[in-house]
Amino acid sequence: MCSSDLGLSGTPFGGNEPNDSSGILRYVRVEYAGRILSADNELNIVTMNGLGRGTTADHVQAHMGLDDACEWFGGTINMKYLVCDGGADDQLDYQLGTVANVQYAFAQQTSLSLDAAGSHGFEGDNNENGFDFQPRSAPNFCNVTVVGCKDQGGNCNVDSTGALLRRGTAGQFWKSI
């Protein structure tokens, strides 16, 4: 797989080892990150590219940035205690064969940062180039709270939803509001 949604074109990511460890990300706050490079070519606050379940990621916050708060491009990572707030686009976004597990997450949109219509709490896709491509995105989200920004004014009152799930995605959402 290659990613063009990360400011890179033709750059491979991920791998064939679902138990791979890319290290430890613990008690980390990333704020005021991300960048719009060109149309449909942005950098997120926190991006996870094909991270294996051997990677440790917990107590992570993605705060106030110029695109998605957290986005997964493939991978089998297990994450817990995740906060995604104030991303200008989607708060929790996944695609390209993501089968991650996320437990205990909080996501919040705010009129202070939301950039335009089509910004969602969750945005989930399999693959825009082939809805049945394998591996199929099928993440599990458990104990997640998503708070929208309805009635805050600005871009919060336009076409945004709690969850936009499309393009062949699978997955499960448990004990979440």
Side-chain angles (χ1 to χ4, degrees):
M1 284 185 234
C2 294
S3 175
S4 61
D5 190 39
L6 301 172
L8 305 172
S9 181
T11 302
F13 66 86
N16 296 321
E17 178 51 55
N19 296 314
D20 177 66
S21 173
S22 292
I24 297 172
L25 189 63
R26 183 176 281 149
Y27 295 101
V28 173
R29 178 177 171 160
V30 180
E31 58 183 8
Y32 309 109
R35 182 173 178 184
I36 309 303
L37 299 172
S38 61
D40 296 321
N41 190 12
E42 308 93 5
L43 300 174
N44 304 300
I45 302 171
V46 174
T47 302
M48 289 140 295
N49 288 329
L51 299 176
R53 67 179 62 94
T55 303
T56 298
D58 60 66
H59 298 89
V60 175
Q61 181 179 11
H63 176 71
M64 300 293 288
L66 295 179
D67 194 42
D68 299 324
C70 289
E71 186 161 6
W72 294 264
F73 292 91
T76 56
I77 190 170
N78 297 316
M79 296 186 74
K80 58 185 176 179
Y81 309 113
L82 177 63
V83 174
C84 296
D85 62 307
D89 193 11
D90 309 307
Q91 302 310 303
L92 302 157
D93 191 343
Y94 67 86
Q95 62 178 303
L96 299 175
T98 300
V99 291
N101 295 300
V102 178
Q103 186 171 19
Y104 308 117
F106 176 78
Q108 182 176 11
Q109 291 180 319
T110 175
S111 65
L112 297 174
S113 61
L114 206 60
D115 64 1
S119 299
H120 311 284
F122 283 97
E123 184 176 278
D125 294 290
N126 185 42
N127 190 312
E128 64 191 79
N129 298 311
F131 296 1
D132 288 324
F133 282 3
Q134 298 294 322
R136 180 179 303 279
S137 290
N140 294 299
F141 289 92
C142 186
N143 301 310
V144 178
T145 299
V146 177
V147 178
C149 60
K150 185 177 179 182
D151 298 329
Q152 289 184 24
N155 287 325
C156 289
N157 291 327
V158 295
D159 182 32
S160 296
T161 61
L164 176 64
L165 307 176
R166 61 186 182 176
R167 297 177 175 159
T169 190
Q172 297 184 17
F173 296 81
W174 301 91
K175 300 180 182 178
S176 298
I177 58 172

